Amino acid sequence: MSSRKKVLLKVIILGDSGVGKTSLMNQYVNKKFSTQYKATIGADFLTKEVMVDDRLVTMQIWDTAGQERFQSLGVAFYRGADCCVLVYDVNNNKSFETLDSWRDEFLIQASPRDPENFPFVVLGNKIDMEESKRAVSQKRAMTWCQSKGNIPYFETSAKEAINVENAFQTIAKNALQQETDAEFYNDFPDPIKIDNDNSKYDSCGC
Amino acid sequence: MPQQLEVTEYDVIILGTGFVESILAGALAKTGKSVLHLDTNEYYGGSWTSFNFRELLDWAQLLQGHVEESSGNCQETYFEGKKALPTNFSKIRRQAYSTIEYEIYATLKQTDNAEESEESQHKREQNTSEETIHHVSTGLTNPERETLTTLLKESRQYNLDIAPKIMPCRGELIELLINSGVGRYLEFKALDRTYIYSDQDNFYKVPCSKEDVFTSQTVSLIDKRKLMRFLTFALDFTTSPETFDGYEEKPYDIFLKEKFQIDGKLLSAVLYAITLIRTKANDVNTIQGLTYTQKYLKSLGRYGNAAFLVALYGAASEISQGFCRISAVFGGIYMLNHSVKHLLIDESSNNFTGLIDVNGQQLSSTYLITAIDYIPENLLQENEECEQISRAIVIIDHFIHEEDDATLTIFPPDSVGNEYPISVLQFSEGTRTCPEDKYVLYMSTKASGESAKEDLYKALEKLVNISNNDSSLSSPLFALFYRHKYRDTTSLSSLLPNNIIVTNDPDSSLDFEAATIQAKQLFEKMYPNEEFLPVGPDLDDDEFSLD
């Protein structure tokens, strides 16, 4: 790939409340974990620079900000996503069963150009809990992932930092692939972003 | 299972996720107030929202009354000693809209079949009521039905604003977006060009900056000099008050004529395309006019040679969602598709104390911020005098003027039999408003005639081949005309309990400035000692913490 344009990948994390979406992000980016559960407050998006196949990319990981609790994530949240991470809690059967709806919701709201090949990654979180609490077997989860077009599947623990790095490396890789494909279709000049850099009241153009 | 909230007491409950309510939600949550934000609709944006094509049809049908809506129960009752006033959202919302008409036109060109491959995607969206489609397609000819099919196929590629607006490159809103961090969620395109219609059936590119004036081919040398002199003065008008001495309260056009000899076509351009007056020239005094002109001129040069930016995917709805996200990030709780049954008023103090939601749960707060549609009917006075705005959303198959992401065209008053200036925004695929090879026209004017269609049709005829008037023009596929009220909240507020704060409907202006200022003023009225959306803290990386 010859273009060395700075790449920004937008990754969104979906799944029921309490499955550990924010903890996973926080573990991956800040290497921190808090045992105290609070419905998400103060989480917007986190950015991390990652190397993917010798290429430095900036991954922007978007939290739901708690708006998923009452099914109130607006369509703006989904715009321009390069990868969608679906998270469930392996000890909570319902959180696994809703993965279908989260996937559908993503495809409807984000309406990616090529829905069949859009990259999803599934994370079964909280594997640090005792085995007797486990409600969804690895086999069952993998069968579901296969049936949805071979979605990569990882079993993780945000608490013990198990498999988190690994999972996000795959997320970054697949997001970059998607971004590169999307770029192929996109022949528009880049849109304007407003930020502090442009905000100085310098000379006026007239 | 009904969704019950564990927390039932809040500092502020907000009803409606329109532009003003959403800014307030963000500002309040950011200062640490507990916020519960509800919307009866299943989408964000309220009367500022954007729709895909199917949703737009559904909405038009709903407002025409073709779709049955459950009407609220209208009984005033008592609940734990408080007066419980019933809300009637759908009825009150419907009353704000009138003269809704749409037309679907026969496809003149054969569209290619590229969309067929996207069939799988469209299978997923069967949420639009088939009833709507059935109703719409009844009575259509085959070619018209073909157009409808094409539009429905590409439905999701449309983001159609029901109250379209643009953002000046310098002003209240853009600074707020930058300071609050909401700007990080958004992307924009520049509004490339402004055109003005003159009565000889010609459209002229309006020179806005001095650079434009210099290179313009359509302005005579003598006019160029006048315009240069005026623009130089207007940019810094407060430093030479002697120039407008005695004209302060006089109409702006008189000032321009007498002090700068600006007249005729040039005068129209200055008044309606640069100053963007939305009413008749003599309704605007010189000070107001100069203030608007200066605002426009100051907006130039920040993002290239454009005075305005257009937010991608529909402006107001995206911006509202950005502010709601900030609110959620700071702890605001969000419930769409969640209606309100009663507002509770304490009769002895005449204060709002709380509400009963759709699940029968009682939720209380110190303040209630609400869009007008949620106010109980018996608290609203019938106000026939309020301003109305006529609008049209038109989908066409070819650009007007030149191929640009976004352009603005102005019809000055009386140029096509219109009482007030008519503005026409044209957006292309680049603004993510519509699919490739389609363009959207957003027309608007202050209402004057019998219907929105009557107010706008003659202007539309000059732009598109709408009644087989001129086959060299682009062909329309679809047009929706509607009128909506700009209900007066100032007089309404005096009748309501002090702790109910009412937000305005979208106004007739082209930008968000007045609405942004309202949000700020309401915030300062509620919490005079708090800062309105102060800069930072930046939520990136370091600030991010779970505890």
Side-chain angles (χ1 to χ4, degrees):
Chain A
M1 156 123 215
S2 57
S3 147
R4 287 283 140 178
K5 206 166 86 175
K6 199 181 162 196
V7 181
L8 182 73
L9 303 173
K10 178 175 173 178
V11 173
I12 65 174
I13 305 198
L14 293 175
D16 283 1
S17 299
V19 296
K21 298 183 293 294
T22 312
S23 296
L24 281 162
M25 289 171 63
N26 211 29
Q27 176 57 257
Y28 175 60
V29 178
N30 297 324
K31 312 276 177 250
K32 280 187 207 156
F33 182 80
S34 164
T35 44
Q36 193 189 7
Y37 174 72
K38 229 165 38 179
T40 301
I41 290 185
D44 192 354
F45 55 75
L46 294 180
T47 52
K48 184 165 168 138
E49 308 230 299
V50 240
M51 288 300 289
V52 183
D53 302 333
D54 298 331
R55 214 168 156 201
L56 186 67
V57 298
T58 305
M59 190 156 48
Q60 199 176 62
I61 310 165
W62 286 55
D63 198 34
T64 55
Q67 286 177 306
E68 84 287 9
R69 267 180 78 204
F70 301 104
Q71 296 79 48
S72 301
L73 275 168
V75 62
F77 173 72
Y78 297 90
R79 303 237 190 260
D82 297 301
C83 180
C84 174
V85 182
L86 300 170
V87 186
Y88 78 98
D89 171 356
V90 297
N91 312 296
N92 176 340
N93 189 45
K94 195 185 149 275
S95 74
F96 176 72
E97 285 178 345
T98 49
L99 286 187
D100 250 321
S101 337
W102 282 117
R103 183 177 169 274
D104 287 350
E105 183 70 7
F106 176 84
L107 290 173
I108 290 169
Q109 300 284 3
S111 43
R113 214 171 254 275
D114 182 7
E116 307 301 319
N117 294 308
F118 187 87
F120 288 92
V121 172
V122 172
L123 308 184
N125 193 32
K126 303 196 188 178
I127 56 161
D128 51 273
M129 306 267 272
E130 52 191 276
E131 192 57 38
S132 63
K133 291 205 172 150
R134 178 122 189 181
V136 182
S137 72
Q138 186 173 26
K139 194 173 162 225
R140 191 171 151 216
M142 288 179 86
T143 310
W144 185 84
C145 288
Q146 271 161 19
S147 75
K148 300 293 172 189
N150 279 322
I151 301 178
Y153 175 65
F154 294 88
E155 302 216 323
T156 58
S157 162
K159 189 180 173 187
E160 310 281 340
I162 301 168
N163 239 349
V164 177
E165 189 69 38
N166 223 342
F168 276 93
Q169 191 62 38
T170 301
I171 291 162
K173 194 176 169 178
N174 294 359
L176 180 63
Q177 178 63 43
Q178 161 67 18
E179 219 271 341
T180 315
D181 291 352
E183 199 67 359
F184 178 76
Y185 290 102
N186 188 355
D187 47 1
F188 296 110
D190 282 343
I192 298 167
K193 293 289 289 181
I194 54 167
D195 52 41
N196 286 309
D197 302 338
N198 307 58
S199 67
K200 286 179 228 94
Y201 274 67
D202 43 21
S203 67
C204 170
C206 44
Chain B
M1 196 181 81
Q3 296 166 315
Q4 297 281 328
L5 284 156
E6 311 92 82
V7 179
T8 57
E9 278 185 46
Y10 296 86
D11 292 322
V12 186
I13 297 178
I14 305 178
L15 303 180
T17 53
F19 183 80
V20 182
E21 301 97 85
S22 298
I23 294 182
L24 282 166
L28 290 163
K30 209 168 178 182
T31 53
K33 304 287 177 284
S34 58
V35 170
L36 173 65
H37 203 165
L38 309 177
D39 198 313
T40 298
N41 298 314
E42 54 190 14
Y43 50 81
Y44 282 94
S47 40
W48 301 74
T49 198
S50 69
F51 288 126
N52 67 37
F53 184 75
R54 274 171 188 264
E55 290 165 345
L56 186 75
L57 277 185
D58 274 342
W59 179 73
Q61 298 271 307
L62 199 72
L63 295 180
Q64 283 183 327
H66 292 316
V67 179
E68 276 300 306
E69 280 185 288
S70 58
S71 70
N73 89 64
C74 296
Q75 297 294 310
E76 184 177 314
T77 57
Y78 281 84
F79 188 87
E80 293 176 2
K82 308 277 186 337
K83 193 156 75 172
L85 300 173
T87 63
N88 200 340
F89 176 83
S90 5
K91 181 176 169 194
I92 292 170
R93 178 177 61 168
R94 209 164 47 223
Q95 285 170 352
Y97 294 87
S98 61
T99 69
I100 301 130
E101 293 170 74
Y102 58 83
E103 280 165 25
I104 294 162
Y105 302 91
T107 316
L108 298 173
K109 282 188 214 153
Q110 210 54 44
T111 48
D112 59 44
N113 291 324
E115 301 90 12
E116 294 295 337
S117 62
E118 294 177 30
E119 204 57 51
S120 60
Q121 184 180 333
H122 303 293
K123 261 189 254 162
R124 289 200 193 83
E125 15 171 305
Q126 282 157 353
N127 46 358
T128 310
S129 59
E130 289 309 312
E131 197 189 335
T132 297
I133 305 301
H134 178 74
H135 192 274
V136 172
S137 54
T138 311
L140 293 186
T141 63
N142 277 339
E144 288 164 352
R145 204 163 287 169
E146 219 170 277
T147 305
L148 179 64
T149 311
T150 309
L151 291 166
L152 289 172
K153 257 187 202 161
E154 300 178 334
S155 170
R156 289 207 68 88
Q157 294 179 58
Y158 288 96
N159 292 291
L160 302 165
D161 270 324
I162 58 172
K165 287 184 182 290
I166 50 181
M167 178 173 75
C169 296
R170 290 185 213 276
E172 297 287 333
L173 178 59
I174 193 163
E175 300 313 321
L176 193 62
L177 291 176
I178 292 169
N179 292 340
S180 64
V182 170
R184 293 171 309 165
Y185 306 145
L186 303 164
E187 293 178 314
F188 298 88
K189 287 281 185 182
L191 184 85
D192 302 298
R193 263 176 267 274
T194 306
Y195 296 85
I196 191 160
Y197 175 79
S198 95
D199 31 27
Q200 285 94 45
D201 273 6
N202 278 318
F203 291 93
Y204 294 98
K205 216 179 279 178
V206 178
C208 305
S209 61
K210 284 204 222 159
E211 196 182 50
D212 270 1
V213 177
F214 190 71
T215 54
S216 171
Q217 314 264 320
T218 52
V219 183
S220 71
L221 202 58
I222 192 153
D223 276 354
K224 278 190 184 185
R225 246 183 247 145
K226 289 178 191 168
L227 194 55
M228 253 344 176
R229 201 164 75 85
F230 170 68
L231 295 178
T232 310
F233 156 76
L235 185 61
D236 231 355
F237 76 92
T238 47
T239 59
S240 33
E242 68 285 354
T243 311
F244 55 91
D245 184 38
Y247 284 94
E248 291 90 341
E249 299 297 320
K250 284 193 187 165
Y252 195 33
D253 56 337
I254 304 288
F255 168 76
L256 291 167
K257 275 184 216 162
E258 292 182 1
K259 295 297 279 193
F260 287 90
Q261 291 76 49
I262 291 175
D263 213 335
K265 250 167 37 185
L266 193 64
L267 180 65
S268 274
V270 171
L271 288 174
Y272 304 109
I274 293 179
T275 308
L276 293 171
I277 290 173
R278 303 292 288 156
T279 176
K280 292 174 206 165
N282 50 10
D283 289 343
V284 175
N285 71 36
T286 300
I287 290 293
Q288 288 169 327
L290 284 171
T291 309
Y292 296 147
T293 307
Q294 187 191 42
K295 268 197 97 164
Y296 185 92
L297 295 173
K298 285 200 163 169
S299 280
L300 294 165
R302 189 181 198 175
Y303 299 99
N305 192 23
F308 292 97
L309 296 181
V310 177
L312 303 196
Y313 303 103
S317 163
E318 294 293 296
I319 297 170
S320 301
Q321 286 178 64
F323 281 104
C324 289
R325 180 169 167 88
I326 285 289
S327 172
V329 164
F330 284 92
I333 295 176
Y334 278 80
M335 295 177 105
L336 296 181
N337 199 9
H338 199 91
S339 49
V340 173
K341 279 185 177 161
H342 291 94
L343 300 191
L344 303 176
I345 311 288
D346 180 83
E347 281 184 297
S348 56
S349 64
N350 191 32
N351 260 336
F352 163 85
T353 62
L355 54 83
I356 309 289
D357 77 355
V358 63
N359 302 327
Q361 193 173 17
Q362 185 181 179
L363 304 163
S364 56
S365 63
T366 314
Y367 280 106
L368 178 77
I369 295 173
T370 179
I372 298 180
D373 298 331
Y374 295 85
I375 295 176
E377 216 173 345
N378 39 358
L379 292 179
L380 291 169
Q381 85 273 44
E382 200 44 54
N383 189 348
E384 288 304 323
E385 291 297 292
C386 74
E387 179 179 307
Q388 299 208 51
I389 300 133
S390 288
R391 294 189 187 273
I393 301 175
V394 186
I395 300 173
I396 57 177
D397 71 344
H398 196 267
F399 54 84
I400 53 174
H401 315 311
E402 287 170 68
E403 185 161 23
D404 283 311
D405 284 327
T407 61
L408 172 64
T409 304
I410 301 284
F411 291 83
D414 298 322
S415 60
V416 280
N418 50 323
E419 193 167 342
Y420 299 105
I422 296 173
S423 64
V424 186
L425 286 161
Q426 174 188 261
F427 292 166
S428 74
E429 186 198 11
T431 67
R432 301 291 190 273
T433 302
C434 57
E436 206 183 343
D437 300 328
K438 304 279 192 304
Y439 297 82
V440 171
L441 304 181
Y442 290 123
M443 308 181 74
S444 77
T445 187
K446 285 170 85 159
S448 57
E450 290 298 309
S451 70
K453 189 173 171 182
E454 185 191 314
D455 288 344
L456 299 167
Y457 202 80
K458 281 190 181 138
L460 186 56
E461 275 183 324
K462 301 290 178 197
L463 296 166
V464 303
N465 183 18
I466 201 150
S467 40
N468 282 322
N469 49 323
D470 183 351
S471 56
S472 69
L473 298 173
S474 30
S475 308
L477 284 83
F478 173 82
L480 170 68
F481 302 90
Y482 57 101
R483 193 173 256 189
H484 68 85
K485 291 182 182 169
Y486 177 71
R487 292 164 291 187
D488 184 5
T489 54
T490 346
S491 64
L492 178 60
S493 298
S494 60
L495 301 170
L496 295 173
N498 279 331
N499 60 343
I500 296 186
I501 311 288
V502 195
T503 59
N504 282 348
D505 292 321
D507 62 15
S508 64
S509 75
L510 279 174
D511 61 38
F512 294 100
E513 296 299 281
T516 309
I517 291 167
Q518 193 200 21
K520 192 172 174 183
Q521 285 170 344
L522 293 177
F523 177 89
E524 283 162 357
K525 183 177 151 197
M526 293 165 69
Y527 295 104
N529 300 319
E530 301 275 7
E531 205 184 334
F532 178 67
L533 283 165
V535 181
D538 203 345
L539 286 163
D540 263 11
D541 304 317
D542 299 344
E543 305 290 334
F544 185 86
S545 132
L546 280 174
D547 38 39

